[in-house]
Amino acid sequence: MDMHLSQWRARDPVFADLMDLRETFWANPGLRPAGEALSSAPVTAEEVADAAARLDRFAPYIARVFPETAPDGGRIESPLVPIPAMGRALGDRPGRLLLKQDSHLPISGSIKARGGIYEVLWLAETIALREGWLSEGESYARLADADLRGRFSDYAVAVGSTGNLGLSIGMMSAALGFRVTVHMSADARQWKKDLLRSRGVNVVEYAGDYSLAVARGRRQAEADPACHFVDDENSRTLFLGYAVAAGRLAEQLAAMEIPVDGAHPLYVYLPCGVGGGPGGVAFGLKLLYGGAVRCYFAEPTHAPCMLLGLATGLHDGVSVEDFGIDGKTAADGLAVGRPSRFVGRVMEGLLDGCYTVDDRRLYQLLRLLADTEGIRLEPSALAGLPGRDLVCGRTPVPEGATHIAWATGGGMVPEDVWREYYRLGG
Ligand SMILES: *Cc1c(COP(=O)(O)O)cnc(C)c1O
């Protein structure tokens, strides 16, 4: 960084808020008309459609290996539900409030079941077609047969993670029969490590943060030519898997007869770590709805890496540590010190804004949501909920608007861990 911290402070009050760990809201001054920003984006609508089609090809396999997905035909999707009691508890605001429950996605109980599982399936398809194990037109359910399952053991998958990505990559890779190693940062919860080990996943633990786990994982994977490293900081494949969510959401909104257009804008609040999950979803939504959808990323006050990357324009050239911020947060899914370079550049002209949330508020919201709606989330997943109030307090929002808080994880949290989260919200 060429500028001193005092110069950043003088440049924009948002930097003082961030460095002093105050909750803050940042409207993106770089926002461009959606059509214009999308036409120069390095990702296309065709690529997102191709990812959706790939997931459809795998649906018969998923239905067979993860029977909980069978009622949905092997589609890994989550409910979109109104949360009126929570909305009232937070205060009267224009528009309806919905919760997108990626917390309850099958297989791994977080938004990572979109991107993470998609990248493993993409890899499996690439290998299976190249090796002639699958032929075009054949049902992918065939991959669950014993003879094919064994063959993926010649190949390896590795990933660095704060927990949930490791859970998704680990569960899917192990089901296919890949050798899989998950490099876990210090933030990762014990139960996630235990669950993975019970599936035969090799879990390597680090005392350091997410960046260290990723760096070590990348280095080890590079030494093995048969190993595919899932690069959470830069992967287009992960991003495409997340982007498929948009078309699925549009189907759900249509089924609920909820319009999205100029008079009925859609506001979406997405918890953000390295940026791939929220970035992919927001990108897909902008492709579908253009300027009628407004997307905001939510980060912990102790790990606002994407906000810093965007507001400085330096993307992965800055880390929260450079600004004297410690990166320590109860929102383990968001405990990331440096944003994805790829996502920052794709979103700089498309994202409407970012805001930060204090850990204390995450726990209070966790408890309030459980009390009002009976829905259990993990702390990270609550970061989307303050978005509605922040946006309504700053800009005129029409009554016809819809707000969606994206609940990114928590469906698999063990009872005793969840009790402790609830207690901390009191
Ligand atoms: C990973 C994660 C996010 C954010 O996704 P990124 O791709 O890291 O930005 C949000 N919430 C939860 C629970 C997560 O696990």
Side-chain angles (χ1 to χ4, degrees):
M1 276 198 315
D2 297 334
M3 273 160 76
H4 290 293
L5 294 185
S6 59
Q7 291 173 289
W8 288 114
R9 267 185 201 271
R11 184 157 126 175
D12 185 328
V14 79
F15 292 109
D17 285 345
L18 292 172
M19 285 186 263
D20 298 340
L21 306 175
R22 269 192 302 278
E23 292 187 335
T24 192
F25 182 91
W26 177 78
N28 181 11
L31 181 66
R32 293 158 63 198
E36 189 190 303
L38 287 167
S39 68
S40 58
V43 181
T44 65
E46 288 69 34
E47 288 174 288
V48 179
D50 174 62
R54 180 164 295 104
L55 285 170
D56 288 344
R57 289 197 289 280
F58 272 99
Y61 167 78
I62 298 288
R64 189 168 154 194
V65 179
F66 297 101
E68 70 268 33
T69 65
D72 239 356
R75 199 179 242 213
I76 302 166
E77 196 43 75
S78 74
L80 176 67
V81 298
I83 46 169
M86 182 69 176
R88 280 192 299 276
L90 291 172
D92 227 4
R93 300 289 187 182
R96 61 169 77 74
L97 178 60
L98 306 177
L99 191 72
K100 180 60 175 163
Q101 283 186 279
D102 275 10
S103 47
H104 293 73
L105 278 171
I107 304 176
S108 64
S110 83
I111 189 172
K112 305 298 195 307
R114 298 186 183 279
I117 287 177
Y118 174 71
E119 181 150 344
V120 175
L121 295 177
W122 167 84
L123 177 68
E125 183 184 63
T126 305
I127 294 170
L129 291 176
R130 190 181 63 212
E131 299 286 342
W133 301 343
L134 278 179
S135 43
E136 220 131 331
E138 188 177 18
S139 170
Y140 283 22
R142 167 97 183 81
L143 289 173
D145 291 346
D147 60 321
L148 283 187
R149 223 187 142 274
R151 295 206 209 165
F152 282 106
S153 65
D154 290 341
Y155 296 88
V157 177
V159 66
S161 170
T162 63
N164 286 336
L165 184 62
L167 211 53
S168 296
I169 300 282
M171 302 284 273
M172 194 65 243
S173 301
L176 280 156
F178 283 108
R179 286 181 285 123
V180 53
T181 302
V182 175
H183 300 266
M184 288 281 204
S185 63
D187 316 276
R189 306 282 167 162
Q190 190 59 43
W191 67 266
K192 293 177 184 173
K193 300 175 199 167
D194 295 343
L195 179 60
L196 283 173
R197 288 192 171 117
S198 78
R199 302 295 163 104
V201 173
N202 179 26
V203 177
V204 185
E205 300 180 53
Y206 296 92
D209 71 356
Y210 163 86
S211 302
L212 178 79
V214 172
R216 290 289 171 77
R218 181 181 282 124
R219 202 182 317 151
Q220 279 199 8
E222 274 165 7
D224 178 357
C227 184
H228 175 78
F229 180 70
V230 177
D231 186 352
D232 195 19
E233 290 173 326
N234 291 295
S235 171
R236 288 170 61 90
T237 311
L238 278 176
F239 188 86
L240 289 169
Y242 291 119
V244 171
R248 310 267 189 88
L249 183 80
E251 286 174 24
Q252 290 178 315
L253 288 168
M256 294 164 83
E257 297 183 7
I258 295 174
V260 179
D261 53 42
H264 306 87
L266 177 64
Y267 294 84
V268 185
Y269 311 105
L270 295 143
C272 178
V274 73
V281 172
F283 185 84
L285 288 170
K286 292 280 181 178
L287 278 175
L288 285 180
Y289 295 124
V293 63
R294 320 271 154 82
C295 297
Y296 298 87
F297 287 176
E299 295 180 292
T301 50
H302 284 255
C305 66
M306 184 61 74
L307 207 174
L308 277 175
L310 289 168
T312 56
L314 297 173
H315 301 298
D316 65 329
V318 283
S319 73
V320 300
E321 287 79 13
D322 295 337
F323 280 77
I325 303 169
D326 64 11
K328 293 197 169 31
T329 169
D332 46 352
L334 315 180
V336 176
R338 194 180 290 276
S340 160
R341 169 181 30 205
F342 171 65
V343 175
R345 289 181 200 281
V346 173
M347 294 309 294
E348 63 190 352
L350 277 171
L351 190 68
D352 295 79
C354 294
Y355 60 89
T356 57
V357 189
D358 193 73
D359 279 15
R360 176 92 196 104
R361 189 187 301 277
L362 294 177
Y363 281 124
Q364 287 167 345
L365 289 166
L366 180 144
R367 189 175 175 114
L368 191 61
L369 186 69
D371 289 346
T372 54
E373 303 282 351
I375 296 171
R376 295 181 172 200
L377 302 180
E378 66 183 82
S380 298
L382 277 302
L385 274 161
R388 181 192 66 148
D389 291 13
L390 291 169
V391 167
C392 290
R394 270 169 189 79
T395 54
V397 171
E399 276 302 334
T402 299
H403 304 272
I404 297 180
W406 210 280
T408 44
M412 290 172 66
V413 174
E415 181 71 20
D416 56 331
V417 176
W418 196 83
R419 287 259 144 241
E420 179 61 10
Y421 289 158
Y422 183 85
R423 193 186 65 75
L424 290 166

